[in-house]
Amino acid sequence: MAVYRMHNRTQHYDWGSRRMFPELKATGEPVSPSPEPVAELWMGTHPRGPSSVETSPGDMEPLTEILGRSGAGELPFLFKILTAERGLSIQTHPSRALAREGFRREEAHGIDIGAAHRTYRDRNHKPELLCAVGEFWGLRGFRPLSELQSEMRDFVAELNDSAMTPLRTALERFVAAPGDSTWREAFAALLRIAERGETAPLEGALRAYCGEPDPDEAYADRDDRYWWCRELMRQFPGDVGAAAPLYLNLVHLHPGDAIFLEAGVLHAYLYGAGVELMASSDNVLRAGCTSKHVDRQELLQALTLIFDLPAVVRPDPISCGEGELRRYRTTAEEFELLRCSLPPGAGTGRLQLTKERGAAVVLSVGGGAQVRAADAAPDTVSSPAQSVALSSTESALVDYGTKRFSIDLSSVGAVYVASVPGTISCEEEGT
């Protein structure tokens, strides 16, 4: 049984933040912005950003090798910290069947796995859970039909340019008979505007409909969908994705709230910091608001048309030792997220956990933590195989053979645990 310090890779996408990740790492202390945007920190075995572990001070081994000694050589999930200063792409994730076929097709065509125009980078689907660390805004799923019908009835009146006739006609059909087929037709017509290079008239219609930004506005009204349309037009001039806040649900997550994304659900993250847990995949089908590869036809094939308000996952707390454990339940077979914390002002405390099977990743965010295997001596604090001290944004691997482990943490910040579903519980629950 062993606990190891992990060394993880950051991804520097252009939508990332130069300040959010340093602020998380510094836990409230004044920091200097990073030289380039930090978008994601990856913890896992995905080949595009595999982690390593520290087996002894200064000695590193690939995570896959450590895992392969006592079980499967790969984790079934990919764990991330995400920090977004700008909007991410309007996107969805493919089903497993679509991912396998798309990967096979691109491999047969000889497209390099790292090529910018590659759509499928692995064979896996990508169910995904995002849990907010701070205030977080995003878009998830199509709005209820009655809301969407009302919005499009008003918006279509601004589509006066002749180049907008196909979109106007499709939207009028949807307004007259709202449903799956008429909305799919209207949404496809919207995406074809980009392919025809006729985005200027659409942007003009959006500005007329959503209003021009107030130059005297002292703050961003991030709970206003029309503000987000204006903001996305500012971030991505001439992009059809700027209309997304009109047809997708605007979601505001508070710290500890989460949203779950199944295959085919159209979404975008807009602003904030969070932890993400997903199947080990990097397959993303994009429609707009991005500098990355856009594949609108593949996205239309993968898209699931569900018109409903998004369900925010707010787990019930479970008393555990001197703190509490929160379990985020989803339908994903590959992963489960738990959040460990102490009551405000409690100082420090310990949670004792049991693990039935699989490996787990323990991540500290906003404070420090100590992860210790159950048979570690109380004064064992330096052995990478027994006990690991974590600062904010650092993580530890709890290997396959470790069935009991403890987490010492403070009331500042929280600790997140990623594992196979149903395998980790508070030790008190099993007594």
Side-chain angles (χ1 to χ4, degrees), residues 25-92:
K25 195 174 185 68
T27 62
E29 296 296 322
V31 297
S32 299
S34 59
E36 57 183 327
V38 178
E40 295 177 341
L41 177 77
W42 285 24
M43 294 160 280
T45 55
H46 193 280
R48 295 195 68 234
S51 300
S52 300
V53 299
E54 190 174 312
T55 54
S56 62
D59 292 330
M60 306 281 291
E61 289 191 37
L63 176 57
T64 51
E65 292 187 12
I66 294 295
L67 293 173
R69 292 174 187 168
S70 56
E74 296 182 355
L75 290 175
F77 54 80
L78 178 60
F79 201 16
K80 299 180 181 180
I81 297 176
L82 177 146
T83 54
E85 193 83 37
R86 303 173 69 230
L88 278 68
S89 58
I90 312 302
Q91 62 178 259
T92 191

Side-chain angles (χ1 to χ4, degrees), residues 86-87 139 155 202-246 250 270 289:
R86 303 173 69 230
L139 302 169
F155 177 57
L202 175 64
E203 188 166 289
L206 280 173
R207 291 192 184 283
Y209 184 70
C210 298
E212 293 290 339
D214 183 352
D216 297 325
E217 188 175 42
Y219 60 92
D221 188 0
R222 295 190 175 102
D223 290 328
D224 179 0
R225 68 177 66 253
Y226 307 110
W227 183 90
W228 275 112
C229 283
R230 297 192 297 268
E231 177 64 9
L232 291 177
M233 281 189 281
R234 184 189 68 80
Q235 294 180 13
F236 304 97
D239 197 305
V240 298
L246 298 184
L250 177 61
L270 299 174
C289 291

Side-chain angles (χ1 to χ4, degrees), residues 15-25 38-41 80-86 88 129-138 222 228 251-259 269-277 337 339 363 365-366 392-393 416:
W15 48 261
S17 175
R18 288 181 169 85
R19 61 178 184 83
M20 290 185 188
F21 192 83
E23 286 173 354
L24 284 178
K25 195 174 185 68
V38 178
E40 295 177 341
L41 177 77
K80 299 180 181 180
I81 297 176
L82 177 146
T83 54
E85 193 83 37
R86 303 173 69 230
L88 278 68
L129 180 79
L130 181 134
C131 180
V133 171
E135 302 298 318
F136 194 96
W137 286 264
R222 295 190 175 102
W228 275 112
V251 182
H252 178 184
L253 300 178
H254 302 287
D257 290 348
I259 52 173
Y269 298 145
L270 299 174
Y271 182 89
V275 295
E276 277 188 297
L277 186 54
L337 179 68
R339 183 178 186 269
L363 168 68
V365 177
S392 181
T393 74
Y416 300 84

